[in-house]
Amino acid sequence: MSRLVVVSNRVADPRKASAAGGLAVALGEALSSDGGLWFGWSGIITEGGAPGEGAIHTRQAGNVRLVTVDLCREDHDSYYLGYSNGVLWPVFHYRLDLADFDAGYVAGYRRVNQMLARKLVPLLKPDDLIWIHDYHLIPLAAELRALDCRQRIGFFLHIPLPPPLILAAVPQHEWLIRSLFACDVVGFQSQADVEHFSSYVGQEAVAEKLDAHQFRAFGRRVHAQAFPIGIDVDEFAALTQTKEARETHAHLRKEYAGRHLLLGVERMDYSKGLPQRLKTFRELLKKYPENIGSATLIQIASPSREALDTYAGLRQELESLCGAINGDFGDLDWMPVRYIHRNVSRRRLPGLYRAADVALVTPLRDGMNLVAKEFIAAQDPDDPGVLVLSRFAGAAEELREAILVNPYDTFGTAESIQLALQMPLAERQRRHQQLLERIRSHDVHWWREAFLSALAECVPE
Ligand code: ADQ
């Protein structure tokens, strides 16, 4: 059997429950079942090191070998902060207004991808399956091929792929998509992403569509398909029974007895629609005053990418929105918003989800959104909470029984939240059962097997 080699920007010990970050959680699940090699950046930034060079570290974590590489400050700032998170992240989330097209970033992005390729090649075995993840590493497959790497290579994009005219705003768009054609399989989160890929390569690269999943362009053939990522449903459901989760659940249910609890959980990121959500919650209190004194929104937004100005600005905006709602509507014995700028431990999170009557998962754009799936898995089937989900999350393609909303429409979304708060038990149960079936049939194991089977079955050119 071929060995699995996973390459991603960050590497985590799969044996330890991960902190925030859907990718780390999902990859840990995928690798620990058969073991393999996990390769990426160590998270260490060295001051004064030479660009394009970095020390390599190796350690064993159960059946997974973790190999990581340090980055010097200059590489980190251009590859990670600059190009990955200052250009690709905003553009791929349709936020051209937030992109910083500094011409210097792409050189660092390319340099780091070249260095990672150079360090990875000597570790490879001839029949390895290489699985590269996410927007930080789009050119890596092409750099590996340039070093004569013949192994099968798959790439999975965790974030959305925007439509061609938005993608074309990135000055290096052609180079990025051409690099994907160095892979054998390219996976996306949703059918919408595949359609954007198909129209881009059709329009810009005059690609030939060979069959449902095969495209030929730039002199190579690639298999492109949607593989919607999932969670480990049984494991997550079991987590609701840990001591910490039960304590959290019991504590919240006691504190909010007779009241409604709404919940939002995410990294603090402008793609997650947090200001719009708070404005919607204000609208809910205004339009449906029966919620005053009886509905509380717990909003957990863990710190993320704070070195970037757009993220620091978002934090200030949220703090001011929360302060204004609490000031205008709060009372001595009730505060409408409890805002927490921290990570919640993974052992407590399921208890929190289970205690909530309504989850607000309302990103402006999201590749998939695992919080939506975790919320479903954590519910008590006899008395489940209701998922209010943005139609712009990749998860909305699958989770049709959620209440789908347009998060830009604060008025309409407030109406939908009111519906969710008043939904009769039988309807909550029916919707939850269908949603649970959906996340079970496309869980993280399905995701891994579907992607790796497509990769193992492809015939390299
Ligand atoms: P993220 O943007 O990080 O992931 P998401 O899919 O929701 O978004 O995953 C977040 C994960 O981190 C979840 O497992 C959640 O439980 C955890 N988490 C988030 N905030 C937390 C907090 N405050 N405390 C504790 N845990 C927290 C990217 C893409 C998504 C895609 C995933 C996986 O942006 O669209 O679904 O990768 O592919």
Side-chain angles (χ1 to χ4, degrees):
M1 202 178 82
S2 297
R3 179 180 68 157
L4 177 60
V5 175
V6 168
V7 190
S8 59
N9 176 57
R10 290 304 304 274
V11 169
D13 186 335
R15 296 167 306 178
K16 295 186 186 148
S18 177
L23 178 54
V25 176
L27 292 184
E29 308 260 9
L31 267 168
S32 47
S33 56
D34 292 324
L37 173 70
W38 194 348
F39 180 81
W41 172 36
S42 61
I44 296 172
I45 307 168
T46 53
E47 300 297 341
E53 275 311 322
I56 195 159
H57 311 274
T58 303
R59 72 196 162 96
Q60 197 66 29
N63 55 358
V64 183
R65 192 167 157 218
L66 307 177
V67 181
T68 56
V69 182
D70 298 343
L71 292 181
C72 73
R73 169 71 57 193
E74 192 178 328
D75 281 349
H76 168 264
D77 289 358
S78 52
Y79 150 79
Y80 180 74
L81 292 180
Y83 202 76
S84 298
N85 287 316
V87 177
L88 298 180
W89 178 273
V91 173
F92 281 38
H93 287 88
Y94 300 52
R95 292 300 301 272
L96 296 182
D97 56 318
L98 297 180
D100 174 8
F101 295 107
D102 183 308
Y105 295 156
V106 70
Y109 180 73
R110 174 140 201 214
R111 189 167 61 237
V112 170
N113 273 275
Q114 282 171 333
M115 169 178 75
L116 293 174
R118 259 193 341 268
K119 305 255 181 202
L120 178 59
V121 164
L123 308 174
L124 295 174
K125 298 179 185 169
D127 68 339
D128 280 345
L129 285 183
I130 304 171
W131 192 6
I132 300 171
H133 292 263
D134 231 0
Y135 59 103
H136 316 83
L137 302 173
I138 293 174
L140 184 63
E143 300 298 351
L144 288 167
R145 296 287 185 224
L147 297 175
D148 210 23
C149 168
R150 307 271 175 91
Q151 286 83 347
R152 277 160 296 181
I153 305 181
F155 175 87
F156 185 80
L157 185 68
H158 289 257
I159 65 175
L161 187 77
L165 280 180
I166 292 186
L167 184 58
V170 181
Q172 301 78 22
H173 62 95
E174 204 237 35
W175 170 65
L176 292 168
I177 301 296
R178 178 191 288 270
S179 302
L180 290 182
F181 275 81
C183 302
D184 298 291
V185 176
V186 175
F188 297 100
Q189 297 275 29
S190 69
Q191 202 48 45
D193 300 324
V194 175
E195 277 155 26
H196 295 155
F197 176 79
S198 172
S199 42
Y200 177 93
V201 296
Q203 288 164 28
E204 304 272 338
V206 206
E208 206 186 327
K209 195 164 181 193
L210 305 173
D211 63 33
H213 301 305
Q214 305 276 337
F215 295 82
R216 174 173 287 285
F218 308 109
R220 274 191 58 94
R221 190 187 63 221
V222 85
H223 175 119
Q225 191 183 336
F227 299 94
I229 197 169
I231 61 165
D232 187 328
V233 177
D234 291 329
E235 193 206 30
F236 206 86
L239 278 177
T240 59
Q241 299 310 317
T242 64
K243 185 169 162 283
E244 290 96 326
R246 290 167 74 105
E247 272 171 15
T248 305
H249 178 260
H251 169 76
L252 286 168
R253 283 303 1 150
K254 190 167 162 228
E255 191 172 343
Y256 292 94
R259 290 178 171 177
H260 283 307
L261 189 57
L262 299 102
L263 176 67
V265 177
E266 44 262 299
R267 286 183 303 103
M268 163 102 55
D269 193 288
Y270 49 80
S271 65
K272 304 291 182 185
L274 290 163
Q276 288 78 358
R277 184 177 310 159
L278 286 161
K279 287 174 192 162
T280 298
F281 186 59
R282 170 182 269 281
E283 190 64 43
L284 178 83
L285 297 177
K286 219 169 85 190
K287 193 164 165 18
Y288 303 101
E290 63 267 37
N291 290 309
I292 295 177
S294 79
T296 294
L297 168 63
I298 296 188
Q299 178 58 59
I300 297 169
S302 57
S304 185
R305 304 176 196 163
E306 293 191 314
L308 289 164
D309 290 346
T310 37
Y311 287 77
L314 177 65
R315 181 177 175 180
Q316 281 173 2
E317 185 183 1
L318 281 187
E319 283 169 3
S320 126
L321 283 166
C322 292
I325 297 175
N326 282 342
D328 291 345
F329 293 92
D331 214 328
L332 291 175
D333 59 350
W334 170 75
M335 276 298 152
V337 184
R338 284 175 73 175
Y339 162 70
I340 300 162
H341 182 53
R342 237 174 301 126
N343 255 325
V344 178
S345 104
R346 262 195 106 59
R347 298 184 79 79
R348 292 209 172 272
L349 198 55
L352 189 57
Y353 286 139
R354 202 174 170 96
D357 297 292
V358 174
L360 302 181
V361 182
T362 53
L364 304 180
R365 198 62 65 176
D366 216 329
M368 175 56 59
N369 195 296
L370 295 179
V371 168
K373 297 187 174 184
E374 291 170 355
F375 176 76
I376 296 164
Q379 295 311 299
D380 172 359
D382 294 331
D383 185 17
V386 181
L387 175 63
V388 173
L389 177 64
S390 164
R391 57 175 298 181
F392 304 124
E397 266 186 18
E398 292 172 86
L399 306 180
R400 311 303 299 179
E401 292 79 16
I403 297 198
L404 296 183
V405 296
N406 167 8
Y408 293 96
D409 174 11
T410 49
F411 195 78
T413 304
E415 285 179 344
S416 298
I417 295 174
Q418 181 67 1
L419 254 173
L421 287 169
Q422 296 182 332
M423 191 178 283
L425 177 63
E427 188 177 349
R428 284 192 276 128
Q429 287 172 334
R430 180 184 60 75
R431 286 181 188 249
H432 174 257
Q433 195 195 347
Q434 287 168 330
L435 289 168
L436 194 58
E437 276 167 26
R438 288 187 188 275
I439 62 167
R440 260 190 209 294
S441 64
H442 287 86
D443 67 359
V444 73
H445 308 296
W446 171 88
W447 173 70
R448 169 187 185 270
E449 277 153 29
F451 188 96
L452 291 177
S453 310
L455 186 57
E457 281 161 21
C458 73
V459 185
E461 292 213 294

